[in-house]
Every structure is written in C-alpha cells, then in structure tokens.
Amino acid sequence: SDINSDDGTWTGLMWAIQSTQWNVVSWLISQPNIDVSWKDREERTYLHLSSYYSAPSSVLNKLLTKMNTEIVDAVDKLGDSALECAVKENKPEVVECLGGKKNIAWDRGRLEEVARYHLNDRDQQYMIGLLGVKPMLEKMFDLYTKLEDTKYLQSK
C-alpha cells in the first residue's frame, strides 16, 4: 500500500497529526518515500496542521528537515503560513520552534498584527515577546558560528 495515498481528502499522516499521535507521525515522517509536499483542499501543509495541533518540537524539526523552502513557507487559502497559524491559534511552543528557524521566512509586523487581531491582551504581549526573540537568537547563532570558525582556524 502507498504511504502517501489518501481517502480523497487527507493522507494517513494528516489523520495521525489530527489525532495527535506523535509517535505515529514521527514514524511516518521517517519513512523514505513519504511525500511531505502534500496539501489538503484548504492548501494546508503538514506543517500547518502540525502547528495547529501543537506538535512537539521534535516532530516539527523532523518534518522541517524533509521539506523544501516552498512548502515550509506555503500559505493556505486564508493566506496564513504555518507560523502565522501557530500565532493565530496561540501555540507559543510552536512559535518558539518555528520562529527560531533561519530557513523560515516571516514578517514580524505581519505576525504581530495577527497576534493583535486574534489573541487577548495578555496572550498578545507574550506572543509578541516571543517574536522579538528571533533576531536576538539569530545574532547569537551567528556569533557562535564565527567563534567556532575562529577556534577551528586557530587550531590549524
């Protein structure tokens, strides 16, 4: 049987994500012939649904390693990326995971606008605070990389 077959609407991986069966999701993602570029009728990717259902970072990271940039940054029929979906649905753990990835394109102003529109005041402030962490984390990562490069060159 084909691991990527669906019932006309969702694949087995989509059903596992919706059921929050993270061990099954992780196993399916690890299969060599899994197609992670699939979208449902609403143009939602596996990353959209994983964000919506609060997938653990281990599952999100495994999924991201198999996806190309076009799928990672894809928007659904509402115009939302997976990261915007996580902000809209108030999923801070997912925002922390996805927001810290260098390969995910996002517009902080747009995400803050999504938070302001969809979340209450307390959750808005927390989410907007999380969104401010990415630039700081990127700078820290760049500094760490430069430091490690310098150490490597000095050891030669």
Side-chain angles (χ1 to χ4, degrees):
S1 144
D2 180 9
I3 197 168
N4 298 303
S5 66
D6 64 59
D7 67 353
T9 55
W10 278 18
T11 65
L13 181 53
M14 287 279 196
W15 284 111
I17 291 168
Q18 185 214 19
S19 303
T20 66
Q21 298 295 315
W22 303 123
N23 289 337
V24 174
V25 172
S26 186
W27 180 82
L28 285 169
I29 294 168
S30 70
Q31 299 308 299
N33 56 341
I34 190 76
D35 178 9
V36 295
S37 64
W38 193 88
K39 295 179 183 180
D40 70 5
R41 292 180 189 165
E42 301 301 316
E43 296 294 309
R44 295 174 299 194
T45 65
Y46 293 128
L47 196 56
H48 280 91
L49 287 183
S50 295
S51 296
Y52 181 82
Y53 288 105
S54 301
S57 60
S58 60
V59 170
L60 293 169
N61 288 325
K62 188 179 264 192
L63 192 54
L64 286 168
T65 62
K66 291 219 170 184
M67 292 183 148
N68 66 38
T69 304
E70 182 180 314
I71 296 299
V72 169
D73 294 333
V75 295
D76 62 15
K77 283 188 175 181
L78 296 174
D80 293 331
S81 69
L83 182 55
E84 289 167 346
C85 175
V87 170
K88 188 184 281 188
E89 296 298 326
N90 196 22
K91 309 289 184 177
E93 301 84 12
V94 175
V95 171
E96 279 185 297
C97 181
L98 297 181
K101 303 293 182 208
K102 286 187 133 233
N103 61 330
I104 295 181
W106 57 279
D107 175 346
R108 181 175 178 190
R110 162 97 172 115
L111 291 171
E112 287 179 3
E113 181 182 305
V114 168
R116 285 190 184 94
Y117 184 77
H118 292 279
L119 305 177
N120 66 42
D121 289 342
R122 181 179 54 87
D123 292 338
Q124 282 178 27
Q125 294 307 312
Y126 182 71
M127 195 63 71
I128 289 169
L130 280 179
L131 297 171
V133 170
K134 182 181 181 182
M136 180 183 71
L137 290 175
E138 284 183 346
K139 286 179 186 175
M140 288 173 59
F141 178 78
D142 289 341
L143 287 172
Y144 176 78
T145 303
K146 287 176 186 173
L147 178 64
E148 288 300 306
D149 290 346
T150 303
K151 285 181 183 176
Y152 175 76
L153 292 173
Q154 289 175 347
S155 69
K156 291 279 176 183

